[in-house]
Amino acid sequence: MKFDPARVREAAGEDFDAAWQRGKEYVEVPPLNRRYPRRVSSYGRPHPIFDVIGRLREAYLRLGFDEAANPVIVEDAEVKKQFGSEALAVLDRCFYLAGLPRPDIGISDERAGQMKTILRRDLTTEEVEGVRQILHGYKKGTVEGDDLVHEISAALGESDALVSTLIEEVFPEFEALAPVATTKTLRSHMTSGWFITLGGLAGMAPLPLRLFSIDRCFRREQSEDAARLMTYHSASCVVMDEELSVEDGKIIADGLLAQFGFQKFRFLPDDKRSKYYVPDTQIEVYAYHPGLVGSSTKYDTGWVEVATFGIYSPTALSMYDVPYPVMNLGLGVERLAMILYGATDLRALTYPQFVQDPDLSARVMAMMIRVQEEPQTPAGIEIAQAIVRTCDLHGDEPSPCEFEAWKGTVSGRKVVVKVVEPEENTKLCGPAANNEVLVYKENILGVPKTAKWEAAFEDGVTTGMRFIDSFAELAARKAEDAALRGEGSETRVRIVRGPGDVNLRLGPALERYITSRKRKIDVRGPVFTTVRSEVVE
């Protein structure tokens, strides 16, 4: 809270210790939902794919590669030049781009009449001719499709909404348009872009040329499943120099993948023998990662295929007038991310809507347990704190008994709040009042701080809320509401059988998580506490 430094200095001069003690008055004590761990310093989490992309970029840059951007849209003629006899198989996996043809639309007398009916006015010869010229410009490409409605609206002096209706009803040619395929494809391999880039740089850039690119590729799969998607990220590099060999690929593969914790490598010939590589230079890279040994993934031996490299064939390079050898290495980002994150389903790794049952840490679970009803005013917050202090101080007092917890003003009315127990032969508060809510082994427990539960408090994560804490906030809220009406209130808790009985709620995601994992919510016990508020003169 803000304070007056001059008054504090004056008070300290008169009685330093008393002024120092009063310093607590300036420190806010927030309601439970605004306390840790329900309120934390939040931070964002990177997406696994983009996290690995960032790490790959840094790894390539550390190896001395320059970053490049390769063409994403590639003419199918380029694919035929690059892949030779394999081009048909490659193109079968490609997405071809299509576009809507621009129709040649005229304005007959009949259509001019339809326009007059929709606009509910006569059209001048100049207005009809203006629309005709706009439609002609659209056909020729001088008027873009997203400007068509606006251009006609300006020519007629009418609203865009009315012109949209006019176009739909008078010119059905637009509605009947169907896409027409072009010869352009979406890149299915990063290689498709590398040949075009290398062709433009050969003879211009100094050697050795070392480039990398991490970007999307697209493949027309029959379906998407746990192992394949129609779009993926390729992390690819090329080295162009006068002297290159397979050994250069091994060196780069080791230097790149060692930065991700891989420690040993095996290089085996790839049986695919793609025609854009020199025969016997297409190599699969198998790497060993100690973190995978004994894991629940298919890589439990520690060995995994992570990359492929090869020397581009002179027959393909010659199509682009590239006179130098080129080594190309590539790996799938998603595949590497699955290894590093221990994922088994590529869809769940990539798209959040496929995540069925995300793991929740004990800390996150504790954050998802909150108070249902809480005081809304500073006086209400004081009431809740006073109830807790009273119960802590007098909870073991034999009944019948009554203790005043708080006196003050709420909504302009003087209010007294008491903790009471009218029945005989019991105590002000029941034995479970001090049970604390915590997360232990994915279970939600409400337990006392005793030797029996020492492990739960040591290894679990507490919410910092006891039964009496959350109940006190409910009692304070009811006292606030009653005072606003000029009435008193009585709030009582007896046997607790679940979180709701002591004013606690679990987030729906947490309840679903506990149910799906067959964990338990064990929040129960005898609390037997009553709080009354009265409006007094």
Side-chain angles (χ1 to χ4, degrees):
M1 298 180 186
K2 186 178 180 179
F3 57 88
D4 185 346
R7 292 184 61 184
V8 173
R9 285 197 302 269
E10 181 181 354
E14 295 174 357
D15 186 338
F16 179 85
D17 190 68
W20 177 70
Q21 290 287 349
R22 286 199 299 272
K24 293 185 291 185
E25 299 174 4
Y26 301 106
V27 179
E28 179 190 15
V29 181
L32 293 176
N33 279 346
R34 287 172 52 200
R35 299 184 197 175
Y36 178 86
R38 286 154 301 286
R39 184 182 178 189
V40 297
S41 180
S42 61
Y43 57 90
R45 293 179 299 168
H47 189 286
I49 304 302
F50 298 111
D51 174 44
V52 173
I53 286 175
R55 294 170 63 184
L56 280 165
R57 288 184 71 248
E58 294 175 358
Y60 270 124
L61 290 168
R62 280 192 290 265
L63 288 177
F65 283 82
D66 294 325
E67 191 165 23
N70 287 316
V72 176
I73 298 174
V74 179
E75 287 280 351
D76 61 4
E78 301 288 345
V79 177
K80 294 172 183 176
K81 287 166 59 176
Q82 297 162 8
F83 291 88
S85 60
E86 292 179 332
L88 181 60
V90 173
L91 290 172
D92 182 64
R93 301 280 294 278
C94 287
F95 286 101
Y96 272 82
L97 297 178
L100 293 175
R102 295 193 166 190
D104 189 4
I105 300 174
I107 302 179
S108 63
D109 291 342
E110 180 182 357
R111 284 185 168 177
Q114 290 176 302
M115 293 168 63
K116 293 178 184 179
T117 300
I118 292 171
L119 299 177
R120 297 181 180 179
R121 66 176 179 84
D122 290 333
L123 294 175
T124 66
T125 302
E126 290 78 11
E127 287 177 323
V128 174
E129 182 59 26
V131 174
R132 181 181 287 111
Q133 291 299 324
I134 292 169
L135 292 172
H136 181 71
Y138 172 72
K139 169 65 178 177
K140 295 297 184 182
T142 58
V143 175
E144 296 297 333
D146 51 1
D147 295 328
L148 184 62
V149 172
H150 177 72
E151 292 281 347
I152 295 177
S153 297
L156 296 177
E158 302 288 350
S159 69
D160 286 0
L162 186 58
V163 169
S164 295
T165 301
L166 183 148
I167 290 175
E168 181 179 356
E169 296 186 9
V170 179
F171 305 110
E173 292 92 337
F174 289 103
E175 184 70 23
L177 291 178
V180 175
T182 69
T183 57
K184 300 180 185 297
T185 71
L186 289 175
R187 176 183 62 204
S188 64
H189 299 68
M190 189 63 76
T191 290
S192 299
W194 276 133
F195 278 107
I196 298 171
T197 298
L198 292 168
L201 295 177
M204 297 177 59
L207 301 181
L209 181 66
R210 296 163 66 88
L211 301 174
F212 80 92
S213 183
I214 305 174
D215 205 351
R216 283 190 181 273
C217 294
F218 305 84
R219 289 193 182 175
R220 192 171 63 90
E221 304 284 2
Q222 295 299 315
S223 63
E224 293 188 326
D225 54 34
R228 58 179 62 83
L229 299 176
M230 292 191 184
T231 177
Y232 70 98
H233 292 84
S234 173
S236 179
C237 71
V238 291
V239 178
M240 183 166 65
D241 203 356
E242 292 189 6
E243 295 182 359
L244 281 173
S245 72
V246 169
E247 298 304 309
D248 292 283
K250 295 178 181 179
I251 293 168
I252 292 171
D254 183 297
L256 180 69
L257 295 168
Q259 299 183 58
F260 291 87
F262 295 98
Q263 297 180 356
K264 295 184 290 186
F265 300 91
R266 294 173 181 167
F267 303 101
L268 303 177
D270 191 339
D271 294 335
K272 292 191 288 290
R273 296 174 59 84
S274 302
K275 293 298 188 292
Y276 58 91
Y277 283 131
V278 173
D280 301 324
T281 68
Q282 186 170 343
I283 307 296
E284 292 178 334
V285 181
Y286 289 81
Y288 177 83
H289 198 303
L292 298 174
V293 176
S295 66
S296 58
T297 69
K298 62 181 179 180
Y299 310 119
D300 57 355
T301 64
W303 286 97
V304 57
E305 180 190 351
V306 286
T308 301
F309 69 84
I311 307 296
Y312 279 154
S313 170
T315 57
L317 290 170
S318 65
M319 296 294 181
Y320 294 88
D321 290 326
V322 176
Y324 306 110
V326 175
M327 191 284 300
N328 163 243
L329 178 144
L331 59 88
V333 174
E334 283 78 3
R335 183 183 185 89
L336 181 59
M338 288 184 75
I339 296 167
L340 298 177
Y341 277 82
T344 56
D345 190 316
L346 188 54
R347 297 166 301 181
L349 180 73
T350 305
Y351 303 118
Q353 63 267 33
F354 285 97
V355 178
Q356 297 297 318
D357 188 14
D359 289 329
L360 297 179
S361 68
R363 174 178 175 271
V364 171
M365 292 176 69
M367 290 169 57
M368 299 169 75
I369 304 171
R370 304 179 66 83
V371 170
Q372 180 71 38
E373 298 286 346
E374 60 181 345
Q376 300 297 301
T377 65
I381 295 172
E382 289 182 12
I383 292 171
Q385 295 164 3
I387 293 170
V388 171
R389 286 195 301 269
T390 302
C391 292
D392 286 342
L393 185 61
H394 302 290
D396 289 333
E397 292 288 338
S399 62
C401 56
E402 175 181 292
F403 294 91
E404 182 179 296
W406 187 86
K407 179 187 292 184
T409 301
V410 182
S411 299
R413 295 183 172 92
K414 293 182 180 180
V415 174
V416 174
V417 178
K418 300 177 181 179
V419 183
V420 304
E421 178 49 69
E423 296 184 7
E424 296 183 352
N425 300 321
T426 181
K427 296 180 179 181
L428 181 67
C429 300
N434 288 317
N435 282 17
E436 193 161 335
V437 181
L438 54 82
V439 178
Y440 179 56
K441 295 183 177 179
E442 296 188 327
N443 300 304
I444 308 299
L445 306 178
V447 294
K449 277 191 173 181
T450 60
K452 176 182 178 181
W453 298 103
E454 183 178 355
F457 281 94
E458 181 69 23
D459 301 328
V461 175
T462 179
T463 64
M465 295 186 293
R466 300 170 301 168
F467 290 0
I468 195 61
D469 298 322
S470 53
F471 166 72
E473 296 221 336
L474 173 63
R477 175 62 182 273
K478 290 192 173 182
E480 283 180 328
D481 294 343
L484 187 63
R485 300 189 301 269
E487 301 172 355
S489 67
E490 180 173 291
T491 310
R492 179 180 302 177
V493 58
R494 293 185 177 278
I495 295 289
V496 174
R497 294 181 174 83
D501 293 334
V502 280
N503 191 34
L504 292 174
R505 62 181 173 87
L506 277 57
L510 178 57
E511 289 186 340
R512 184 166 55 249
Y513 183 80
I514 292 173
T515 301
S516 66
R517 296 295 182 100
K518 294 182 171 57
R519 303 306 185 190
K520 63 181 179 180
I521 303 171
D522 190 358
V523 177
R524 55 193 172 89
V527 176
F528 291 107
T529 303
T530 301
V531 173
R532 290 175 183 164
S533 69
E534 301 174 10
V535 176
V536 297
E537 293 298 331

